[in-house]
């Protein structure tokens, strides 16, 4: 196994994973990287080092999600981040804002030939926020340790030496020299000669062993060594960048991040006689799809419920080219012993293998709904994305504007993949609270939409302002924030040590006029500065959205007589303990809240990974209502069975249609076998 696997992941920009036995090296992390790893069951090795060729948002938007995954899988220790200058500024913004702070708690960043940002492991400040869930007090706050060290010139460890070539636009190409790897011991040969443990010990101590009158050298028992090889990762923006390239010994392949378009670049390809992998020239194949399982399920559901689920088309294209074009998600194995070329391996996970049960139903083509407001679920999972569900994001579509209720990583792509969303219309983004699964997706909206408005907790403001500054966003972008009693915005900027504090503010009143809606929010019981929202539309209809919360009176009051209550239901009732300790709700608690609020219809979302296929309801029906409740079982059962919709990614419907989607969501429960 002493090989180097090259795995390409194509998202907004090409990302590259080099895998050795125990270490992974990742080059660029676009938004959706975390989801992609989950969709195709790709695991990075125990230790992961991350390199950026470029600090443009499209190259880095997935980094916090990836760090969260590494943290979640307990693989974060020892992870470091390397890249062009500016990296440290970006990461201190992430860290101070608490967004991703937990995952980058003990992480360090290194700009090649620039600054270093090294954090003290688990300092008091973050310990308090994340483990005690206490909001830090202003005085006595410990600031981050910032250590200036000598600038880093290159990276080296037991497997590789990585030398940056810094180009003039602050983009970096990397020369990767793999070190000689000793061939692994062949157990077959050991067994063939029936070596005892003592003899094995002798063999490795003396590098040879005598058996009978024959002397066997250690090399006899080993696979051939993998010799030093060179790989180039090129991020060429300007032809002049090419003149800086140094060729390592035994150059095996060149991975091109950008398409070679100019004559000079194409000549370079002709001149350098190695394998060229054009990472940005995508060959569409059955493995290149993002969110394959979700698309497969949606296509099936579209045939049954054309009004409620979109369909996705596949246009696979194979082009013949003398260079190796990007094959998404394929492994390229770099052979030992200078054998030319690559062995390509298809990925193991294929989207289309989902087991689904037939639904015997066909929607009638006649629709009698009058509402002009459409509600679509773009993400229905909690914490991290999985094969079936993305993290929180709900679209509320009005005549000429849109509202997003939370905006987890990948929300932009969920909208973009349907090809029917106008990204230049007015978009209002509501963020319920500071946790990453509800807000990491905003960077793509900042970058790609020309008319963005935010309504967010005060704590979010410094981070958003830093992002606007860092990405040099020039178009219309207005922020409205929910003030926090304990201190004002200036103090918030000070706490988060924000470099830039200027932004375009908009008042709630103006927002309401602009979007022609009435907005009300209340504190909910989840973390500091967590809010639930109610929207009253001009046609008299209304929705409320809990965000993450324990069941709470304020939200029930806010939702009185609402048409649609969207409530989180992270757990089933048997896991109420978890719900209490993590400040989430169970299905039973959400149903009870809806009954108490007299909500006409309840939609459940934000399901724990345990219930990624079906949502948390199926189990619930067997368990029935186990929580202490003032509501009698009959009322409860009736509400659950006739007024409760279980959300699935891409489910959409008009506001007055949702009461009739209860049956559909019961079909969905049967659709995928757990
Ligand atoms: Zn959440
Ligand atoms: Zn949360």
């Amino acid at each position: 196994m002493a090989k180097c696997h090259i795995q390409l992941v194509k998202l907004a920009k090409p990302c590259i994973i080099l895998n050795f036995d125990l270490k992974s090296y990742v080059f660029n992390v676009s938004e959706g990287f975390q989801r992609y790893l989950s969709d195709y069951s790709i695991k990075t090795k125990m230790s992961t080092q991350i390199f950026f060729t470029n600090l443009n948002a499209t190259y880095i938007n997935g980094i916090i999600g990836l760090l969260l995954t590494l943290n979640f899988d307990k693989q974060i220790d020892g992870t470091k981040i390397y890249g062009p200058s500016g990296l440290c500024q970006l990461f201190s913004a992430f860290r101070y804002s608490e967004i991703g702070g937990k995952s980058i708690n003990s992480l360090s960043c290194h700009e090649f030939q620039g600054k270093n940002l090294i954090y003290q492991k688990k300092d008091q400040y973050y310990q308090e926020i994340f483990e005690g869930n206490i909001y830090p007090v202003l005085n006595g706050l410990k600031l981050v340790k910032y250590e200036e060290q000598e600038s880093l010139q290159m990276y080296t460890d037991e497997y590789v030496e990585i030398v940056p070539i810094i180009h003039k636009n602050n983009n970096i190409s990397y020369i990767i020299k793999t070190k000689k790897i000793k061939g692994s011991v062949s157990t077959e040969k050991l067994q063939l000669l029936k070596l005892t443990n003592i003899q094995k010990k002798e063999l490795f101590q003396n590098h040879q062993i005598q058996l009978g009158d024959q002397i066997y050298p250690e090399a006899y028992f080993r696979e051939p060594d993998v010799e030093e090889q060179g790989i180039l990762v090129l991020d060429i923006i300007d032809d002049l960048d090419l003149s800086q390239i140094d060729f390592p010994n035994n150059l095996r392949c060149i991975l091109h991040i950008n398409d070679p378009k100019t004559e000079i670049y194409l000549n370079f390809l002709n001149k350098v006689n190695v394998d060229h992998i054009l990472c940005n020239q995508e060959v569409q194949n059955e493995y290149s799809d993002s969110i394959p399982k979700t698309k497969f399920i949606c296509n099936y559901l579209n045939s049954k419920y054309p009004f409620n689920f979109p369909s996705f088309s596949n246009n696979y294209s194979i082009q013949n080219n003398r260079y190796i074009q990007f094959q998404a998600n394929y492994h390229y194995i770099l052979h030992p012993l200078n054998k030319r070329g690559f062995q390509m391996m298809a990925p193991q996970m294929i989207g289309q293998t989902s087991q689904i049960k037939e639904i015997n139903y066909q929607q009638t083509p006649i629709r009698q709904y009058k509402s002009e407001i459409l509600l679509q679920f773009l993400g229905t999972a909690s914490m991290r994305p999985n094969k079936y569900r993305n993290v929180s994001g709900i679209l509320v579509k009005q005549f000429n504007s849109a509202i997003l209720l939370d905006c987890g990583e990948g929300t932009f792509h969920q909208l973009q993949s349907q090809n029917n969303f106008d990204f230049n219309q007015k978009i209002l983004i509501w963020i319920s609270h500071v946790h990453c699964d509800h807000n990491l997706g905003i960077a793509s909206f900042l970058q790609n939409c020309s008319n963005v408005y935010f309504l967010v907790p005060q704590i979010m403001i410094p981070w958003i302002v830093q992002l606007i500054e860092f990405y040099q966003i020039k178009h219309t972008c207005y922020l409205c924030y929910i003030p926090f009693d304990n201190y004002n915005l200036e103090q918030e900027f000070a706490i988060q040590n924000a470099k830039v504090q200027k932004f375009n503010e908009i008042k709630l009143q103006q927002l309401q006029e602009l979007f022609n809606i009435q907005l009300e929010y209340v504190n909910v019981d989840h973390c500091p500065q967590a809010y639930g929202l109610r929207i009253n539309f001009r046609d008299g209809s209304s929705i409320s959205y809990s965000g993450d919360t324990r069941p709470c009176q304020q939200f029930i009051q806010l939702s009185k007589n609402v048409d649609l209550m969207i409530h989180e239901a992270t757990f089933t009732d048997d896991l109420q303990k978890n719900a209490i300790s993590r400040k989430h709700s169970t299905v039973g608690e959400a149903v009870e809240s809806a009954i108490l609020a007299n909500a006409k219809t309840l939609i459940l979302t934000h399901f724990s990974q345990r219930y990624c296929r079906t949502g948390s309801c199926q189990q619930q029906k067997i368990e029935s209502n186990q929580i202490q409740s003032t509501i009698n079982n009959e009322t409860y059962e009736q509400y659950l069975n006739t007024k409760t919709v279980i959300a699935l990614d891409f489910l959409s419907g008009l506001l007055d249609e949702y009461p009739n989607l209860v049956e559909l969501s019961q079909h969905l429960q049967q659709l995928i076998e757990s």
Side-chain angles (χ1 to χ4, degrees):
M1 275 300 285
K3 285 175 187 157
C4 166
H5 292 243
I6 303 173
Q7 175 131 31
L8 303 176
V9 173
K10 176 71 190 297
L11 296 159
K13 284 286 173 187
C15 310
I16 299 160
I17 308 172
L18 297 188
N19 272 333
F20 288 81
D21 277 0
L22 298 170
K23 274 197 169 175
S24 296
Y25 306 85
V26 175
F27 293 83
N28 296 334
V29 187
S30 292
E31 182 171 0
F33 196 89
Q34 186 188 18
R35 171 84 194 248
Y36 204 96
L37 295 190
S38 162
D39 275 336
Y40 287 99
S41 301
I42 298 167
K43 286 242 180 253
T44 55
K45 303 291 177 176
M46 271 321 282
S47 160
T48 302
Q49 305 301 319
I50 299 164
F51 296 81
F52 289 104
T53 63
N54 201 309
L55 290 188
N56 187 305
T58 48
Y59 291 77
I60 60 179
N61 271 347
I63 180 65
I64 299 299
L66 172 62
L67 294 176
L68 288 170
T69 291
L70 293 176
N71 191 44
F72 195 87
D73 296 339
K74 302 204 165 38
Q75 295 185 1
I76 192 92
D77 279 351
T79 293
K80 290 181 181 173
I81 300 173
Y82 304 86
S85 67
L87 190 68
C88 293
Q89 188 198 337
L90 182 73
F91 272 82
S92 49
F94 278 142
R95 177 180 164 87
Y96 275 111
S97 65
E98 177 183 9
I99 294 154
K102 190 179 190 176
S103 62
I104 60 175
N105 194 13
S106 59
L107 220 69
S108 64
C109 291
H110 304 273
E111 298 171 358
F112 285 111
Q113 297 173 27
K115 287 181 189 162
N116 299 295
L117 195 55
I118 296 163
Y119 296 120
Q120 196 182 37
K121 207 167 184 177
K122 296 199 173 157
D123 63 46
Q124 193 59 35
Y125 171 49
Y126 280 94
Q127 207 77 345
E128 275 172 18
I129 297 186
F130 297 116
E131 284 164 27
N133 221 356
I134 309 160
Y135 208 80
V137 273
L138 194 57
N139 40 6
L141 178 77
K142 265 198 186 177
L143 289 182
V144 140
K145 263 252 180 342
Y146 180 87
E147 288 174 24
E148 201 81 53
Q149 281 190 337
E150 215 178 299
S151 284
L152 199 70
Q153 301 300 317
M154 59 178 281
Y155 171 91
T156 181
D157 67 15
E158 69 271 33
Y159 290 112
V160 292
E161 203 179 278
I162 298 178
V163 184
I165 304 166
I166 302 171
H167 303 301
K168 73 174 199 305
N169 294 307
N170 203 29
N171 49 320
I172 295 185
S173 293
Y174 290 101
I175 301 172
I176 302 149
K177 301 172 188 167
T178 68
K179 294 188 178 168
K180 184 170 177 168
I181 304 167
K182 211 168 189 185
S184 50
V185 175
S186 153
T187 42
E188 268 175 36
K189 282 187 178 169
L190 288 176
Q191 273 166 10
L192 207 70
L193 294 175
K194 298 196 178 72
L195 258 64
T196 65
N197 282 344
I198 296 166
Q199 284 172 317
K200 282 180 203 164
K201 216 173 161 188
E202 192 191 325
L203 167 67
F204 296 120
Q205 257 168 18
N206 305 335
H207 303 294
Q208 62 176 46
I209 188 161
Q210 182 155 12
L211 298 171
D213 47 9
Q214 182 99 37
I215 294 174
Y216 294 90
E218 187 182 328
Y220 173 83
F221 296 94
R222 286 192 179 274
E223 307 285 353
D225 291 348
V226 181
E227 55 202 42
E228 294 158 32
Q229 309 186 37
I231 302 169
L232 284 176
V233 173
L234 295 194
D235 188 346
I236 302 297
I237 296 177
D238 189 302
D239 284 341
L240 281 176
D241 296 346
L242 288 167
S243 61
Q244 290 175 275
I245 304 299
D246 244 355
F247 295 100
N249 291 336
N250 290 337
L251 177 63
R252 298 298 305 277
C253 72
I254 302 182
L255 295 138
H256 300 266
I257 302 278
N258 298 311
D259 288 339
K261 287 200 178 109
T262 65
E263 209 170 312
I264 293 175
Y265 199 167
L266 287 165
N267 278 339
F268 173 89
L269 257 68
N270 282 328
K271 233 171 44 203
V272 184
N273 186 23
V274 295
D275 286 317
H276 293 278
I277 302 180
L278 307 186
C279 300
N280 202 35
Q281 282 191 18
E282 193 168 6
V283 175
Q284 292 282 340
N285 60 37
E286 66 268 46
Y287 309 116
S288 67
D289 241 353
S290 59
I291 57 166
K293 280 218 156 85
T294 292
K295 283 180 178 170
F296 175 66
I297 290 168
C298 274
N299 283 343
Y300 175 73
L301 288 170
N302 176 265
S303 70
K304 301 287 176 183
Y305 302 95
F307 297 115
N308 303 108
F309 287 93
S311 71
F312 298 92
S313 57
N314 288 321
N315 296 315
Y316 300 144
S317 64
I318 302 290
Q319 285 170 36
N320 284 316
N321 193 303
R322 53 176 298 206
Y323 305 113
I324 299 175
Q325 281 173 303
F326 178 83
Q327 296 261 13
N329 207 12
Y330 269 74
H331 279 285
Y332 295 80
I333 300 173
L334 212 53
H335 282 291
L337 299 173
N338 277 341
K339 206 192 284 176
R340 215 27 233 289
F342 295 92
Q343 176 187 342
M344 288 215 308
M345 271 175 30
Q348 290 174 339
M349 290 301 296
I350 304 165
Q352 277 72 359
T353 54
S354 300
Q355 291 292 310
I356 58 169
K357 286 185 185 166
E358 265 300 306
I359 296 175
N360 292 318
Y361 178 82
Q362 190 60 53
Q363 198 167 35
T364 61
I366 303 149
R367 316 188 82 203
Q368 71 278 42
Y369 307 107
K370 292 194 174 64
S371 177
E372 286 174 1
I373 297 144
L374 181 118
L375 192 71
Q376 183 177 38
F377 288 82
L378 301 169
T380 55
S382 71
M383 278 184 73
R384 64 199 278 201
N386 58 62
K387 289 186 175 80
Y388 300 90
R389 295 171 190 273
N390 207 51
V391 285
S392 291
I394 302 166
L395 169 71
V396 182
K397 180 85 194 69
Q398 302 193 94
F399 163 60
N400 62 357
S401 65
I403 304 159
L404 280 172
L405 304 177
D406 281 332
C407 186
E409 180 182 350
T411 301
F412 183 84
H413 180 263
Q414 299 283 94
L415 275 177
Q416 197 184 32
S417 63
Q418 299 175 76
N419 294 323
N420 63 358
F421 187 78
D422 173 12
F423 287 98
N424 289 317
Q425 66 187 310
K426 278 178 295 193
I427 301 172
L428 170 61
I429 301 179
W430 157 264
I431 301 295
S432 63
H433 66 295
V434 76
H435 291 157
C436 294
D437 54 326
H438 296 259
N439 54 43
L440 279 184
I442 64 171
S444 288
F445 286 88
L446 278 175
Q447 283 237 310
N448 296 296
C449 305
S450 50
N451 250 314
V452 208
Y453 299 80
F454 286 93
L455 176 54
V456 299
Q458 180 181 290
I459 191 174
M460 292 287 301
I461 291 288
W463 181 57
I464 298 176
V465 173
Q466 308 313 303
L467 279 185
I468 292 172
E469 162 75 10
F470 191 84
Y471 295 140
Q472 299 176 351
I473 305 298
K474 296 280 187 293
H475 49 248
T476 315
C477 175
Y478 286 91
L479 312 183
C480 177
Y481 65 92
I482 302 171
F484 182 51
D485 282 347
N486 292 24
Y487 33 80
N488 61 34
L489 190 63
E490 282 68 44
Q491 289 169 310
E492 197 85 67
F493 274 118
I495 294 169
Q496 299 187 28
N497 201 20
K499 281 217 173 73
V500 184
Q501 310 196 353
K502 278 191 312 224
F503 64 97
N504 296 327
E505 190 177 345
I506 185 168
K507 293 290 173 200
L508 186 65
Q509 184 58 35
Q510 289 170 279
L511 261 189
Q512 299 187 107
E513 284 163 15
L514 207 60
F515 284 83
N516 214 347
I517 47 176
Q518 198 219 336
L519 297 162
E520 294 170 57
Y521 51 79
V522 290
N523 261 110
V524 292
D525 182 13
H526 180 60
C527 68
Q529 301 196 37
Y531 301 94
L533 179 73
R534 177 180 180 133
I535 307 176
N536 298 315
F537 298 97
R538 61 188 166 175
D539 65 358
S541 60
S542 55
I543 61 172
S544 68
Y545 170 52
S546 69
D548 289 2
T549 186
R550 288 289 302 142
C552 68
Q553 267 312 313
Q554 306 91 286
F555 185 66
I556 292 169
Q557 283 308 318
L558 180 80
S559 305
K560 272 284 174 223
N561 304 318
V562 76
D563 290 308
L564 290 181
M565 178 200 263
I566 304 163
H567 204 294
E568 72 126 296
T570 311
F571 298 102
T572 44
D573 290 352
D574 54 317
L575 292 176
Q576 195 187 26
K577 256 196 207 136
N578 298 30
I580 292 169
S581 70
R582 299 194 199 156
K583 293 209 174 262
H584 285 297
S585 300
T586 68
V587 172
E589 289 166 341
V591 171
E592 188 175 338
S593 296
I595 295 170
L596 292 172
N598 194 31
K600 295 193 187 76
T601 304
L602 168 68
I603 310 176
L604 300 177
T605 184
H606 196 270
F607 303 115
S608 154
Q609 307 303 309
R610 294 177 184 79
Y611 327 105
C612 66
R613 292 166 191 237
T614 56
S616 45
C617 245
Q618 193 168 45
Q619 235 162 317
Q620 184 68 28
K621 282 181 185 153
I622 307 158
E623 309 280 348
S624 92
N625 188 9
Q626 296 177 339
I627 54 169
Q628 287 293 320
S629 169
T630 48
I631 289 159
N632 72 48
N633 257 334
E634 200 184 329
T635 314
Y636 172 86
E637 290 289 335
Q638 203 195 353
Y639 199 98
L640 181 64
N641 291 325
T642 62
K643 294 184 173 178
T644 306
V645 175
I646 298 133
L648 181 71
D649 282 21
F650 292 111
L651 170 67
S652 84
L654 298 171
L655 228 58
D656 54 348
E657 183 178 6
Y658 271 90
N660 294 326
L661 294 182
V662 174
E663 198 190 348
L664 177 154
S665 86
Q666 282 160 359
H667 287 158
L668 297 186
Q669 295 284 295
Q670 318 296 327
L671 181 71
I672 317 157
E673 288 181 68
S674 294

